[in-house]
């Protein structure tokens, strides 16, 4: 009898590791999250990691990108300017505290704070009222046709936790002051932030109180995120099995990855447009040899810079085909895209030289040119290629490349004459881009990433009409008009829409998304 008992005990001991077998997901990209404060800096890297810990009221379906319930179970229009949201009951934050309407109201108000970089998503929310413990109303002065889409980027934080830890206001990303929420997190999402060593490693563990447990197929028991700046090192880590997934593999290594039996490449078009912004505000550009005036204020100069760029060569050589050249600031997946605006000014070096001469710059000029390093696919090589092409028409771009952590605060302080930026559209609606990039800087998210401070009263008035228009046909007509006009004004220089490859081991199972984001609900490690 004792022998049988020992055999049974041994069998149970052998079975236990299988029952609790860990499913660690180890992944990397070139840059690290800049803050764990969910309202500090609106950039894709942060949003991707925040979504593992913090839920939103509304989430996108990974395939259709139609809004679906998350912390909100339903929403309905009480009137054109009143949206009632029913909140999911029984939800707990990762510390076991209950999620209620107080947390939702607090988080949405926090997103509207002067330090928040997420006011663009809160645009149109003039007042937030608690109806009961699990119902809130959102009021606006004018109808907002994309309000539900905007809620997909407004994450929910515990009011009590924020108050206890003196994090009621978001961290101001433009300065070095820190709040508790900058390095710590507490959400209702599928994972909990266990530790974060900036630029080294972040470790996440499952949220024991996650409301979605059993509703979604994710089986991951640990996430280890390691930012690795060097392309070759990231690829080597994937090939050796040290990591399971790279969201930004180097283009030159894709062929090798495809040929490795244990690896795979997931590929698809992203909703992100890469473009150049230009300082059209200062009367004189810092560091330029042109004194007393700003060449970039002249549309002929902007057009010359545009037409001096051989985008097809860049697409073929620098980006190895993983780009869709564009003439507008939104990608095809975004509501309002129109072929009338998506027409590039043709590459023509001679025409560029003639435009510069006509504008009074026969010998060209010097200009500051800032570029991110490792944020977008081959971004440094892209900027080097553009600078070389400009040099052929006499424009001497003084190129400086900066790492992600310092690049974005720098351009947000308006310290670059020409800068590279990639712009995704989380609402999948053109208004998000028009308001953020083209409208004159102002309150409520207006021009929050119009870092060149382009300003045109006619465009401002048109964008204001788009914000309020509820008839879909009329609204899309106004969007088309704004995009076509922007094509002529050249507020920015559009380059291309990214085509995103992901690289992973065969054991990783996850859907590729147009927003270049991991859907943690569906991530599986086999």
């Amino acid at each position: 009898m004792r022998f049988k008992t020992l055999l049974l005990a041994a069998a149970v001991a052998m079975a236990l590791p299988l029952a609790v077998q860990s499913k660690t997901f180890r992944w990397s990209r070139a840059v690290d999250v800049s803050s764990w404060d969910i309202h500090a800096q609106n950039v894709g890297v942060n949003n991707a990691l925040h979504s593992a810990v913090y839920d939103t009221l509304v989430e996108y379906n990974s395939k259709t990108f139609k809004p679906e319930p998350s912390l909100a179970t339903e929403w309905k229009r009480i009137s054109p300017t009143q949206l009632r949201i029913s909140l999911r009951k029984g939800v707990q934050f990762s510390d076991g505290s209950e999620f209620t309407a107080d947390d939702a109201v607090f988080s949405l108000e926090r997103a509207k704070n002067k330090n928040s970089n997420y006011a663009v998503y809160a645009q149109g929310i003039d007042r937030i009222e608690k109806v009961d413990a699990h119902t809130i109303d959102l009021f606006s002065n004018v109808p907002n046709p994309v309000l539900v889409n905007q809620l997909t980027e407004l994450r929910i934080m515990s009011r009590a936790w924020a108050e206890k830890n003196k994090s009621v206001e978001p961290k101001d990303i433009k300065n070095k002051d820190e709040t508790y929420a900058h390095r710590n997190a507490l959400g209702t999402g599928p994972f909990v932030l266990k530790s974060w060593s900036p630029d080294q490693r972040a470790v996440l563990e499952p949220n024991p109180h996650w409301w979605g447990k059993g509703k979604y197929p994710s089986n991951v028991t640990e996430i280890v995120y390691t930012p690795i700046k060097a392309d070759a090192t990231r690829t080597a880590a994937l090939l050796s099995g040290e990591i399971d997934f790279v969201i930004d593999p180097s283009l030159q290594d894709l062929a090798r990855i495809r040929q490795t039996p244990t690896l795979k490449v997931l590929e698809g078009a992203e909703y992100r447009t890469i473009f150049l912004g230009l300082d059209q505000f200062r009367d004189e550009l810092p560091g330029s040899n042109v004194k007393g005036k700003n060449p970039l204020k002249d549309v002929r100069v902007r057009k010359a810079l545009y037409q001096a760029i051989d985008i097809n060569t860049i697409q073929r050589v620098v980006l190895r085909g993983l780009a869709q050249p564009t003439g507008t600031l939104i990608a095809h997946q975004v509501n309002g895209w129109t072929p009338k605006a998506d027409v590039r000014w043709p590459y023509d070096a001679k025409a560029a030289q003639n435009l510069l001469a006509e504008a009074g710059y026969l010998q060209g000029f010097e200009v500051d040119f800032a570029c991110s390093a490792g944020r977008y696919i081959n971004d440094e090589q892209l900027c080097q290629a553009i600078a070389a092409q400009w040099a052929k028409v006499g424009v001497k771009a003084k190129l400086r490349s900066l790492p992600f952590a310092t690049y974005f605060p720098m351009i947000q302080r308006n310290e670059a004459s020409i800068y590279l930026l990639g712009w995704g559209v989380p609402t999948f609606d053109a208004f998000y881009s028009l308001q953020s990039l083209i409208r004159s800087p102002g309150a409520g998210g207006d021009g929050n990433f119009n870092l060149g401070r382009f300003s045109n009263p006619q465009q401002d008035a048109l964008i204001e009409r788009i914000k309020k228009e509820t008839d879909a046909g009329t609204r899309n007509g106004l969007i088309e008009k704004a995009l076509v006009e922007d094509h002529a004004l050249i507020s920015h220089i559009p380059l291309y829409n990214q085509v995103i490859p992901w690289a992973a081991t065969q054991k990783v199972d996850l859907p590729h998304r147009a927003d270049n984001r991991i859907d943690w609900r569906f991530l599986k490690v086999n």
Side-chain angles (χ1 to χ4, degrees), residues 78-150:
I78 304 300
S79 75
T81 58
Q82 181 182 358
L83 182 70
R84 175 154 294 175
I85 298 176
S86 299
L87 304 177
R88 191 176 298 276
K89 297 178 180 178
V91 174
Q92 294 178 309
F93 289 96
S94 58
D95 65 352
S97 60
E98 184 185 6
F99 159 67
T100 70
D102 291 329
D103 303 300
V105 172
F106 165 76
S107 299
L108 296 180
E109 291 286 5
R110 192 176 189 270
K112 297 171 63 178
N113 185 274
K114 59 179 172 48
N115 291 340
S116 170
N117 209 206
Y118 288 74
V120 64
Y121 297 111
Q123 176 273 324
I125 303 176
D126 296 301
R127 191 170 83 257
I128 308 159
E129 289 187 2
K130 173 184 173 181
V131 178
D132 58 40
H134 294 96
T135 311
I136 63 173
D137 281 348
L138 306 184
F139 294 89
S140 54
N141 290 332
V142 296
N144 181 350
V146 292
L147 179 56
V148 173
N149 298 60
Q150 290 172 200

Side-chain angles (χ1 to χ4, degrees), residues 271-288:
Y271 67 169
R272 185 177 305 280
T273 301
I274 308 296
F275 60 84
L276 299 176
L278 310 105
D279 184 337
Q280 297 162 65
F281 179 80
R282 287 183 175 87
D283 292 327
E284 181 178 306
L285 296 176
S288 175

Side-chain angles (χ1 to χ4, degrees), residues 33 142 180 205 219 266 289 312 439 508:
V33 59
V142 296
Y180 187 79
E205 295 181 339
N219 66 350
L266 305 171
N289 61 344
N312 291 328
R439 186 156 183 173
V508 172

Side-chain angles (χ1 to χ4, degrees), residues 296-371:
L296 301 179
K297 288 187 176 186
D298 193 322
V299 69
R300 294 169 297 184
V301 172
R302 301 197 297 273
K303 188 175 180 181
L305 293 173
Y306 190 144
Q307 292 200 261
I309 297 173
D310 184 353
I311 196 64
N312 291 328
T313 295
I314 287 174
Q315 177 197 37
R316 185 180 70 255
V317 177
V318 178
L319 302 169
R320 306 195 180 207
L322 292 178
Q324 301 169 335
T326 181
T328 190
L329 290 174
I330 59 171
H332 297 73
Q333 304 100 315
V334 177
N335 176 65
W337 175 87
T338 171
K340 292 182 181 179
D342 197 356
V343 180
R344 286 192 62 80
W345 290 104
Y347 165 61
D348 190 332
K350 183 62 177 174
Q353 288 176 315
N354 291 339
L355 283 166
L356 289 171
E358 184 182 328
Y361 305 100
L362 180 63
Q363 303 303 320
F365 59 91
E366 295 177 0
V367 65
D368 165 62
F369 181 17
C371 186

Side-chain angles (χ1 to χ4, degrees), residues 253-261 263-267 322 501 506:
D253 290 326
L254 284 180
R256 183 182 178 188
I257 293 170
R258 293 183 199 276
Q259 293 165 7
T260 303
L263 302 179
K264 60 184 176 182
V265 174
L266 305 171
E267 193 172 285
L322 292 178
Q506 293 289 352

